[in-house]
Amino acid sequence: MELRQLEYFVAVAEEQSFTRAATRLFVVQSAVSAAVKALERDLGVPLLERNSKRVLLTDAGAALLPRARFALDAAREARDAVAEVRGGLSGTLRIGTLTSIRIIDLPAILGEFHRRHPGVLLRTSAAPSGSMGLIEALTDHRLDLAFVSLPGARPPGVRLIDLTESVLDLVVPEDHPLAGADHVPITALAGLDFIDSPVGYGNRSVTDRAFTAAGVPRRVTIEIPDIATGPAHVYHGLGIALLPRFIAAGEPGVAVIPVTGADLVWPLSLAIAGDRTPGAAARALITLLTDVIRNGGRP
């Protein structure tokens, strides 16, 4: 049994596809198939069930998966220890991000990390289902770290490092009847057509919780995956929206109004899987992030 075989098996199990696993590993699909078949021969049992749509774990594969991850984590920690002694980090750091994360300057932070640790390959990805999709990928060990927005009770299986927060403001067209108000109570928003993110996104969770707590009905008529486009949707008359202040402030053609009588705080956190110790590269990024937050957002 080789570490490479375990790595390929884990990739196929997590991606549920030999093709996607090969893309993730930067190898040809035949190499992945050959490694998994060799592992199955070594163990004497089938580990995966293959069909035309996806690849599923057998009972033996499900039993092996957490142990394979543990072995790969141990090997990674050994490589990290040697790399730190030699004075340089290496490997791949898989980071989950939100579709719009302008509340912090993530490109600047990752750029500074790359200058400090050029041997680490950074891979970033977003999830179509928002923060909850990122949490799922994190707990499945498909990500090492994830930027998430999780208002309310924290989900099991993860640890969160709180980074910063914003307030959701009401955004309406500048000719809307509410546009001239200094503030708007949440009770005045009943029955209006809203633009919002899909369920699973942090800002959607904040808004849904606020309206439920206030006992105010709300109708979402358009769902958008990228909240950065929210002001444009509002400007073109498709509805009104509650958007983080860092998204809406200064956008032309819309009015931004504080909402009273509701908890509309949108938090941003860094999530870490609770059942594994972050590797050296992940720890280095965590240290950089906390330093950036202490320095007012400057790397």
Side-chain angles (χ1 to χ4, degrees):
M1 186 185 303
E2 301 175 2
L3 284 175
R4 180 180 57 83
Q5 294 172 341
L6 293 178
E7 180 184 13
Y8 288 13
F9 162 70
V10 169
V12 174
E14 291 178 348
E15 299 292 341
Q16 297 185 339
S17 163
F18 281 88
T19 302
R20 290 195 296 272
T23 300
R24 164 173 153 180
L25 295 164
F26 302 103
V27 297
V28 296
Q29 183 175 333
S30 59
V32 178
S33 297
V36 172
K37 287 179 181 177
L39 181 60
E40 290 177 322
R41 285 196 301 270
D42 288 346
L43 296 175
V45 291
L47 301 172
L48 300 166
E49 293 179 353
R50 304 153 176 86
N51 61 40
S52 59
K53 293 184 178 180
R54 59 177 178 165
V55 178
L56 300 175
L57 289 168
T58 64
D59 290 344
L64 175 63
L65 183 58
R67 292 163 177 81
R69 286 170 171 158
F70 180 83
L72 293 173
D73 285 346
R76 183 203 64 203
E77 290 171 5
R79 287 193 296 267
D80 287 346
V82 173
E84 287 186 284
V85 170
R86 295 174 59 188
L89 297 180
S90 61
T92 300
L93 187 58
R94 301 165 301 170
I95 306 165
T97 69
L98 304 174
T99 53
S100 185
I101 198 171
R102 291 186 298 180
I103 193 171
I104 61 173
D105 192 346
L106 186 58
I109 293 169
L110 295 183
E112 177 63 24
F113 181 90
H114 178 66
R115 284 187 288 275
R116 296 184 186 184
H117 310 289
V120 177
L121 174 64
L122 297 173
R123 296 182 60 193
T124 62
S125 61
S129 49
S131 290
M132 295 313 299
L134 293 172
I135 291 297
E136 180 181 348
L138 188 68
T139 55
D140 285 346
H141 294 185
R142 288 180 279 127
L143 293 174
D144 300 303
L145 302 168
F147 293 93
V148 296
S149 178
L150 297 170
R154 300 192 173 194
V158 297
R159 291 179 286 141
L160 296 182
I161 300 173
D162 295 330
L163 298 176
T164 187
E165 62 186 30
S166 181
V167 174
L168 303 188
D169 288 327
L170 179 67
V171 182
V172 300
E174 57 186 5
D175 59 354
H176 192 275
L178 295 174
D182 293 330
H183 62 272
V184 176
I186 193 170
T187 52
L189 303 179
L192 300 180
D193 290 341
F194 273 84
I195 301 160
D196 210 333
S197 298
V199 173
Y201 282 61
N203 57 300
R204 174 66 178 264
S205 298
V206 171
T207 304
D208 284 347
R209 286 164 56 89
F211 275 80
T212 298
V216 177
R218 187 172 78 109
R219 183 171 60 242
V220 176
T221 56
I222 294 179
E223 291 185 340
I224 55 173
D226 184 357
I227 59 174
T229 66
H233 281 77
V234 172
Y235 171 76
H236 287 289
L238 296 170
I240 63 175
L242 284 164
L243 297 172
R245 190 166 289 169
F246 67 89
I247 291 288
E251 290 290 330
V254 298
V256 180
I257 312 158
V259 176
T260 59
D263 179 4
L264 290 170
V265 175
W266 179 89
L268 178 68
S269 304
L270 185 69
I272 307 164
D275 62 348
R276 68 193 305 194
T277 301
R283 294 197 302 271
L285 181 57
I286 292 168
T287 298
L288 175 59
L289 275 167
T290 52
D291 288 345
V292 166
I293 298 302
R294 281 198 299 265
N295 291 333
R298 296 182 300 276

